[in-house]
Each structure stands twice: as structure tokens, then as C-alpha cells.
Amino acid sequence: MGRLRRREGELSTSGIRSLACAGALIGAAALSWSGPARAQSATETCLAVDQRLSGDATLPRTVAAFKTGGPLKIVAMGSSSTLGLWQSDPAKTYPGMLQSELQHLKPELRLEVINSGRNADTIPGNIVRFDRDVLAHRPDLVIWQIGTNDVTWLQSADSLTGRIVEGIRLLKADGADVILMDQQYAPVILASQYSKMQASIAEAARQERVPLFSRFELMRRAVDAGLSMGALTAWDGLHNSAAGYECTGRALARAIVATAVAGEQTPPKPVRRRK
């Protein structure tokens, strides 16, 4: 009996030790586990695409403003997706998000972003408004968003390209940097003659040696990365959702900064203003 009691005691002690070891392992695992991984937001997934400006883009006026801390004045010209249709807060439009992201990335920069978007505007309508709604502000950088309302034009690609080139030259005549922004990747656009317009925008950018920020590629690549098209597109199947506007503005800001940083490594070119 005595031996049995001792054996029971030994078994009990061994069991306690086993439980203690198991508890320690469970405790360590609990400390190392911080709960379920936070789901990545639509904006974060979109920004991870890291869309840049096209080609060997240069932005001499913008680079100069970054070097001196500004002022840098940006005019966003375009149609309803520049104005920010379905967004009641101007800060939530793409130009508003562009401004906040640039101020985050370059807190020392004196910056002004002017939203000159207009609902239902077209390339010819934009050009008519240039003097009053763009050049009158004496911008250092113009972002010209085009194509969304022009995709049903029954014109040749050469004709479309010519009108875009005309507009770029008018903007550059004042000495401003110019960035083109193309159409959105959205159901209504995909059901149109979008490829002709995309080709015209890219060709005009190439001819005039201005950078293109491809919103179409940004959104397409985000969808390829796993987002639903509805995550970046509003209920109308055309305009951006809140996440789409945020991603467009913030991604463009990052692309501008990346191009400006690269431009700081090259000798500056003289810039001129219209007298």
C-alpha cells in the first residue's frame, strides 16, 4: 500500500508538471497571437498597386517648389470625377485627397490645390475654360483629367489626339507642368469605345512629353489584386466610390513625389510664365 501511495504521489506530481508545461506553452502562444489579422481596406489594396507616372516624366516647376518649400499651386481640371460627384465634402474628392496626402508627405510645403472640375464636361469644354478656370490661377502644375465624357465621339483617333495635344500646348505655354489623367476602370467605361480614347490620351502624352497618370491602370490592377469593381466605383457604375476617390488622390500624390525626388537628381531646366 505504501508503495502504491508513493506511486500515486509520483503520478500526481508528474501530471502537475505536465499541466504546468502545457500551460506555459498555451500562455506563450496567447501572448504571441494578437487576434485575427486586420482586413486590408479597399484604399490600402488600391494604394499597394503603387501606380507611377508614365515614362521619363519630368516636373520642373514642381521639383523647384519642393526644393524651396513652395509655394506650389496645383489646378485639377476635368469633369465630374474631378469635381467629385457623389461626395459632399470637398476634402473627400480626388483633388482634396491629393492635397492632404501631399501635405502628409511634404509637411513643410506651402501648397494650394484648386478644383476646377465641372459635371459633364468634355475635352473641347475644358479647353474653352482654360483661361478662366486654369490659367487665371497661375498654376505651377495642372492635372488634366480627360476622356470620360468623350468616349462616344465618332471621330478618328487622330482627331481626338489632336484636340488633346492642342490643350496640352495651351497649358504649357504658361510654363506650368502638366499631368494627364485618363478614364476610370468602371463598367460604363468598359462598355464604351474606351480603348480608342485611352490610345489617344497616351499618344498625346507621348508627343508632348508630358506624364500620364493612368487611373484606368490603377483601378484595373487593384481589381486584379482582389478588389471587386464595386469597391472603387459608385452605384452608377461610372464615378468613383469614396475609396476610389481616396486612392486616386493619394496614389497620384505619391507618384508626383516619386517623380519629383527623381527630378532632384537632374540639373534644373529654366521655367517661364506667360506675361
Side-chain angles (χ1 to χ4, degrees):
M1 289 291 290
R3 284 198 295 270
L4 178 59
R5 289 193 186 97
R6 286 197 295 271
R7 187 172 297 171
E8 288 175 347
E10 290 167 2
L11 289 170
S12 177
T13 302
S14 176
I16 291 170
R17 288 173 179 168
S18 297
L19 288 172
C21 289
L25 290 173
I26 292 170
L31 289 173
S32 64
W33 184 68
S34 56
R38 181 177 63 87
Q40 192 174 48
S41 71
T43 300
E44 290 169 330
T45 300
C46 182
L47 287 172
V49 167
D50 194 26
Q51 186 71 26
R52 299 297 181 97
L53 301 181
S54 65
D56 55 347
T58 59
L59 300 170
R61 283 270 283 272
T62 306
V63 170
F66 279 8
K67 286 181 177 179
T68 61
L72 175 65
K73 184 180 289 187
I74 301 174
V75 173
M77 176 50 130
S79 57
S80 53
S81 59
T82 292
L83 183 63
L85 190 63
W86 312 131
Q87 291 299 312
S88 59
D89 183 354
K92 301 300 183 182
T93 64
Y94 109 67
M97 299 307 303
L98 169 70
Q99 178 164 338
S100 63
E101 186 74 359
L102 281 175
Q103 289 176 330
H104 171 71
L105 297 171
K106 293 284 184 179
E108 75 285 357
L109 181 66
R110 290 170 290 155
L111 173 68
E112 181 181 7
V113 178
I114 298 166
N115 189 334
S116 287
R118 175 184 285 181
N119 287 336
D121 215 353
T122 60
I123 292 169
N126 286 169
I127 292 173
V128 167
R129 294 196 293 121
F130 275 179
D131 276 337
R132 182 190 64 203
D133 295 341
V134 180
L135 300 178
H137 295 293
R138 306 298 293 263
D140 300 293
L141 170 62
V142 179
I143 302 160
W144 189 18
Q145 170 262 312
I146 53 178
T148 298
N149 296 317
D150 302 273
V151 292
T152 58
W153 284 5
L154 298 177
Q155 299 189 43
S156 69
D158 288 342
S159 177
L160 289 170
T161 303
R163 297 308 302 271
I164 301 168
V165 167
E166 174 192 350
I168 294 171
R169 290 177 179 175
L170 288 171
L171 296 173
K172 288 168 66 177
D174 194 47
D177 296 335
V178 178
I179 295 173
L180 294 186
M181 180 188 292
D182 60 8
Q183 304 164 94
Q184 57 269 53
Y185 185 79
V188 171
I189 296 297
L190 295 177
S192 71
Q193 302 178 47
Y194 73 92
S195 59
K196 184 172 78 169
M197 177 55 70
Q198 289 294 102
S200 292
I201 295 170
E203 176 59 20
R206 187 194 66 79
Q207 286 186 24
E208 291 301 303
R209 301 179 64 83
V210 299
L212 167 64
F213 181 76
S214 183
R215 178 175 47 158
F216 188 92
E217 282 300 300
L218 170 72
M219 295 175 69
R220 183 190 66 77
R221 292 171 64 196
V223 169
D224 288 348
L227 285 183
S228 68
M229 194 173 291
L232 300 176
T233 306
W235 60 269
D236 61 5
L238 176 61
H239 295 89
N240 284 128
S241 64
Y245 282 124
E246 181 179 3
C247 181
T248 298
R250 292 179 63 190
L252 177 56
R254 295 180 183 192
I256 290 170
V257 169
T259 295
V261 168
E264 290 174 356
Q265 310 305 317
T266 60
K269 296 180 180 179
V271 295
R272 55 190 176 86
R273 286 186 179 273
R274 184 178 58 178
K275 295 182 180 179

